[in-house]
Amino acid sequence: MRPILVTGFTPFADLAANPSAIVVADLAARPLPGVEIATRLVDVRYATAAAEIVDACAALRPAAVVCFGLARGRDAVCLERFAVNVDDSATADNGGAVRRGTAIRPDGPAAYGATLPLAAIGEALEAEGLPWRFSNHAGAFLCNHVFYAVRHHFAAAGSAVPAGFVHLPPLPPEAGSLAPEGQCRAARRIVGAVAAAIGSDRREAARAPRRLAG
Ligand code: PCA
């Protein structure tokens, strides 16, 4: 079975912890029944983060990719619709690099859409009573950077592997926070919804030849 690749980030700036690292550790320690999961925790660095995740995609050939990160100042789990082709943040990465208005891929399109089943993920979060919403882009720091790089990797290969990005709200005591238990529950529901969507696609594909033959 090809795994679902789930990624998270280290803390950055003045943060002591990053909820995306917590949910990745939780999924690695307690995988969802019947779902193969591979996890990667990457440092918040322009020079290495995207390459590490793209290399994992090439090595693992995952069935889907769900990247998680923290969005400070938001108060809900945000399902990101688009990655934009620009690095542009006043915040320095963990190597001290600041990028303002730099194209991620000078040869790439202005934006990529998520290919995860966002509506089904939203329904799963709603059913769990968790705060969530759609978001139209993932900012212009490392989260957007890896989201764009992963989508570029699959688009360049002509691959339809579902891939996208979910921003988690902050941990307590920040405003709008979600406690670790809620963060982990959200991540489990998200990955579960992706696994269910992939599973039903596979069943469709398996039925299709018989339908054509019959
Ligand atoms: N959040 C940052 C980068 C890493 C993270 O967890 C962002 O929103 O870009």
Side-chain angles (χ1 to χ4, degrees), residues 4-209:
I4 296 178
L5 175 61
V6 182
T7 75
F9 279 111
T10 59
F12 59 99
D14 60 337
L15 282 170
N18 189 323
S20 67
I22 293 174
V23 305
V24 162
D26 178 63
L27 280 163
R30 300 188 304 130
L32 296 172
V35 181
E36 193 175 326
I37 293 175
T39 60
R40 291 288 186 279
L41 180 69
V42 299
D43 194 14
V44 179
R45 271 178 209 255
Y46 291 109
T48 51
E52 284 179 21
I53 298 176
V54 166
D55 286 354
C57 291
L60 298 167
R61 298 180 25 80
V65 184
V66 185
C67 301
F68 286 101
L70 159 71
R72 299 181 98 174
R74 298 202 197 170
D75 59 1
V77 175
C78 290
L79 310 183
E80 298 295 349
R81 287 190 169 119
F82 294 102
V84 295
N85 190 6
V86 67
D87 290 328
D88 188 38
S89 176
T91 305
D93 76 3
N94 285 347
V98 175
R99 292 191 182 174
R100 301 309 311 244
T102 312
I104 297 170
R105 297 290 308 219
D107 57 336
Y112 283 112
T115 47
L116 291 174
L118 296 189
I121 292 171
E123 280 169 22
L125 293 171
E126 189 71 38
E128 193 75 8
L130 288 159
W132 73 278
R133 61 174 173 268
F134 296 112
S135 160
N136 288 327
H137 73 89
F141 190 40
L142 259 296
C143 291
N144 173 75
H145 182 86
V146 303
F147 180 13
Y148 189 93
V150 169
R151 283 291 294 112
H152 186 78
H153 168 75
F154 289 116
S159 163
V161 166
F165 198 95
V166 177
H167 258 131
L168 298 167
L171 293 163
E174 280 193 48
S177 67
L178 186 60
E181 181 276 331
Q183 304 264 9
C184 291
R185 209 151 39 90
R188 299 177 80 77
R189 293 304 298 231
I190 291 164
V191 174
V194 172
I198 293 167
S200 59
D201 278 359
R202 280 200 188 121
R203 285 192 292 277
E204 275 301 305
R207 270 201 301 271

